Amino acid sequence: MSGIFLAIDIGNTTTHIGGFDGDVLVFSFRLASTHTRTIDEAALLLRMILDSRDFTPKQIMGSAISSVVPVLTPVFHDAVQAASGLVPLVINHQVKLAVKLAVPFPEQVGADRIANAEGFWIEHKTAGIVVDFGTATTFDVVSADGAYLGGAIAPGLETSAERLSQKGAQLFKVSFGPPPSAIGTTTEEALKSGLFFGAVGAVDEIVGRIVSEMGGAPLIIATGGLADVVAKESKTIQSVDPILTLKGLKLIATANNAIR
């Protein structure tokens, strides 16, 4: 019977749950980060996810949680424990890491950003920038000697689209994606053009400024739900790793002996 490692990344908008069999991701689900979700509901969802891939809770050999939603952290922590009997590792600045958090206030670094930096460093062992497209777009900087140097936080792509529709009396929400052209001939096309090319331009500008401050030629990797869409038009993103955060969680759990 194969053992499963359960990685849970709780974001403000979505919760990404992945199951690893060894180093292979065998399932991945994105759920809404419903703030009113109960422990029983979360435990039921975990059992349903496992069952849909022909696994059982008893096959869970370890679990780690990164969360930027404090109200949901104990919910999923207790749900994993209720379903499997195991206590999951909750990521923070105090866990054992291969990457050094070389910032003045390491306790302020988000758990997802820690997982991204750890996953990047262990996998690539080089200087780099991780661009994570979530509710916020984050830029995490790792030096050539494995130090986390900080980064930048910008409004998320879908967050910007939603906020624009709320503030503009004659505007409406559009799906984020490449427009047919930069010159929109309808309000919808104009919104899509501004949002998409504005986001691509912002990413390239921020990455460019970070690179100029770092020096050298850091590796730039994108992750998150919309990484593929933006990377195709970006002049700075070199590759996409959609499960970097989940891989980082597994690597941290391994280093902290949180997998039986």
Side-chain angles (χ1 to χ4, degrees):
M1 183 172 67
S2 298
I4 291 295
F5 176 80
L6 201 62
I8 303 175
D9 176 35
I10 305 171
N12 285 295
T13 304
T14 60
T15 295
H16 193 186
I17 300 176
F20 288 88
D21 185 354
D23 292 328
V24 179
L25 185 73
V26 291
F27 63 77
S28 173
F29 289 84
R30 291 186 182 272
L31 312 173
S33 293
T34 306
H35 290 202
T36 56
R37 181 162 284 147
T38 67
I39 296 170
D40 288 341
E41 288 172 337
L44 179 60
L45 282 169
L46 292 178
R47 291 189 181 97
M48 291 172 64
I49 287 171
L50 290 167
D51 184 64
S52 72
R53 293 297 185 265
D54 296 322
F55 293 105
T56 69
K58 292 195 176 294
Q59 288 177 270
I60 298 175
M61 308 300 290
S63 180
I65 298 172
S66 63
S67 175
V68 296
V69 187
V71 70
L72 287 179
T73 308
V75 171
F76 277 92
H77 175 279
D78 292 354
V80 171
Q81 190 170 5
S84 67
L86 294 178
V87 178
L89 177 69
V90 177
I91 306 304
N92 58 38
H93 69 288
Q94 295 178 315
V95 300
K96 182 179 179 181
L97 298 168
V99 71
K100 178 185 177 182
L101 300 180
V103 291
F105 303 103
E107 67 276 8
Q108 294 181 1
V109 182
D112 54 340
R113 302 181 76 184
I114 292 173
N116 283 340
E118 185 81 352
F120 175 88
W121 172 247
I122 291 179
E123 190 160 296
H124 300 285
K125 287 292 194 293
T126 188
I129 304 167
V130 178
V131 186
D132 190 346
F133 296 94
T135 304
T137 300
T138 58
F139 301 77
D140 295 311
V141 183
V142 179
S143 70
D145 59 354
Y148 175 78
L149 304 178
I153 302 174
L157 310 183
E158 291 183 326
T159 304
S160 296
E162 185 172 352
R163 189 62 175 164
L164 184 60
S165 68
Q166 290 173 347
K167 284 296 189 179
Q170 291 186 301
L171 301 180
F172 46 86
K173 186 176 179 181
V174 295
S175 60
F176 185 87
S181 66
I183 302 173
T185 58
T186 66
T187 300
E188 180 178 1
E189 289 179 0
L191 284 167
K192 288 176 75 74
S193 174
L195 288 165
F196 182 76
F197 292 121
V200 172
V203 167
D204 286 345
E205 176 67 16
I206 293 171
V207 168
R209 287 179 178 269
I210 291 173
V211 170
S212 68
E213 292 180 14
M214 293 177 72
L219 177 63
I220 296 119
I221 290 181
T223 191
L226 293 170
D228 271 321
V229 179
V230 178
K232 289 175 182 176
E233 292 290 335
S234 170
K235 297 175 182 177
T236 56
I237 294 172
Q238 296 165 308
S239 65
V240 175
D241 186 345
I243 61 167
L244 180 63
T245 313
L246 300 185
K247 289 194 292 188
L249 289 175
K250 184 176 184 295
L251 290 167
I252 295 172
T254 301
N256 286 269
N257 298 314
I259 305 176
R260 66 183 179 187

